Amino acid sequence: MDKSLESCLCELLVLHNVSQCYSRGGQPVTVLHDINLTIVRGQTCALVGASGSGKSTLLNILGLLETPASGRLLFAGQNMLNASAEALARLRNREIGFVFQSFNLLPRLSAMDNVALPLSYRGLSRRDARQQAQVQLQQVGLADKLHDKPADLSGGQRQRVAIARALVGNPSLILADEPTGNLDSQTAEEIMALLLGLNRERGVTLVMVTHDTALAGRFGRQIRMVDGRLQEGAAHGQF
Ligand code: ADP
Ligand code: MG
């Protein structure tokens, strides 16, 4: 096979010299400095670092939610920085599932309708979307909670709904921003086992931000962010 085609197939995301700036009090502040990073399909990658070091900013860029100020970003070999907003939204909907610390479920919708939502955006009929949502909720252990609203569920159950919503479209990438940050330790362990199991069983690529270095050690790859710069690997005992 052609070498460049081969690398496109296994490299899901490639960042070249990606920087991000925000304005603070009218002054530009650089929060990511020349990030070079390749995420390979099927990988599990933990992103750790102090609060404010740029983890969520990097995750949002990986998830095509934010556009970097400079650099290059390839998703499945395609340049994302000249893609239209519609193309980015379509790619996010089809290829990427997000899981957040605060679950981000819609409070008025049942668990099933929260999970069906990404499929409705994709144009599926309500009936088909709900049917697939039901299957997905069964797979995360919530077969008996289909009609419950988020307020009627525990934290762990809400996060399972959010994971089902992230997975329902069969994405190639799950991005999770401190998904166990609001959960007690036993529930956090269950959610971690679920996410890592999905990687093993479905081959879904997993990038997760966590404060917990023991948790990070269970991922195939560990990256630390320090003041908007990446440090990789466990070689210096920092993980
Ligand atoms: P982390 O997730 O590691 O805690 P963030 O990526 O959220 O870090 O933030 C990195 C830095 O960028 C912080 O100093 C934060 O205050 C700043 N920041 C994040 N988002 C914005 C924004 N939308 N506007 C201005 N500053 C921001
Ligand atoms: Mg953050």
Side-chain angles (χ1 to χ4, degrees):
M1 194 187 292
D2 176 82
K3 185 91 181 85
S4 60
L5 179 59
E6 206 176 320
S7 62
C8 283
L9 290 176
C10 71
E11 290 172 354
L12 184 60
L13 272 165
V14 180
L15 276 64
H16 284 296
N17 294 331
V18 162
S19 296
Q20 183 65 310
C21 296
Y22 295 122
S23 149
R24 199 175 291 152
Q27 297 295 313
V29 179
T30 302
V31 299
L32 294 181
H33 300 266
D34 291 326
I35 303 287
N36 288 295
L37 176 65
T38 297
I39 305 287
V40 172
R41 284 184 195 274
Q43 193 166 54
T44 57
C45 182
L47 193 55
V48 301
S51 181
S53 59
K55 304 181 299 295
S56 294
T57 303
L58 179 60
L59 210 70
N60 289 342
I61 288 175
L62 294 177
L64 315 178
L65 284 170
E66 256 185 61
T67 308
S70 61
R72 289 212 310 146
L73 173 62
L74 304 178
F75 191 100
Q78 291 191 333
N79 179 4
M80 289 296 114
L81 298 193
N82 54 14
S84 66
E86 291 75 22
L88 290 175
R90 198 174 328 115
L91 206 63
R92 273 198 306 273
N93 178 267
R94 292 188 176 268
E95 299 288 343
I96 304 173
F98 289 92
V99 182
F100 300 97
Q101 178 173 359
S102 51
F103 321 128
N104 292 13
L105 300 173
L106 295 181
R108 289 172 188 274
L109 297 187
S110 67
M112 182 156 65
D113 286 332
N114 266 284
V115 175
L117 209 55
L119 297 178
S120 303
Y121 288 146
R122 218 183 256 198
L124 257 71
S125 70
R126 181 173 157 84
R127 189 165 162 273
D128 288 351
R130 292 182 109 207
Q131 197 204 342
Q132 290 186 32
Q134 183 173 349
V135 170
Q136 200 61 63
L137 281 162
Q138 283 161 354
Q139 288 181 6
V140 299
L142 292 179
D144 57 344
K145 302 289 178 194
L146 302 179
H147 304 291
D148 289 34
K149 301 252 169 74
D152 302 323
L153 300 171
S154 70
Q157 289 168 339
R158 287 181 209 176
Q159 198 57 302
R160 283 175 189 272
V161 174
I163 291 171
R165 180 185 56 187
L167 280 169
V168 76
N170 207 17
S172 42
L173 175 64
I174 297 273
L175 298 172
D177 198 346
E178 310 204 35
T180 60
N182 280 337
L183 304 176
D184 65 77
S185 59
Q186 191 193 329
T187 311
E189 176 52 39
E190 289 166 14
I191 293 295
M192 277 320 302
L194 176 63
L195 286 171
L196 289 168
L198 290 165
N199 167 262
R200 271 195 313 276
E201 287 151 26
R202 294 202 197 182
V204 63
T205 311
L206 182 60
V207 180
M208 187 178 94
V209 171
T210 178
H211 268 111
D212 184 333
T213 49
L215 251 183
R218 292 162 62 181
F219 282 61
R221 181 177 180 191
Q222 296 85 25
I223 297 174
R224 180 177 291 272
M225 291 219 74
V226 180
D227 295 336
R229 292 185 169 84
L230 289 187
Q231 289 178 357
E232 181 142 8
H236 308 294
Q238 73 266 47
F239 292 105

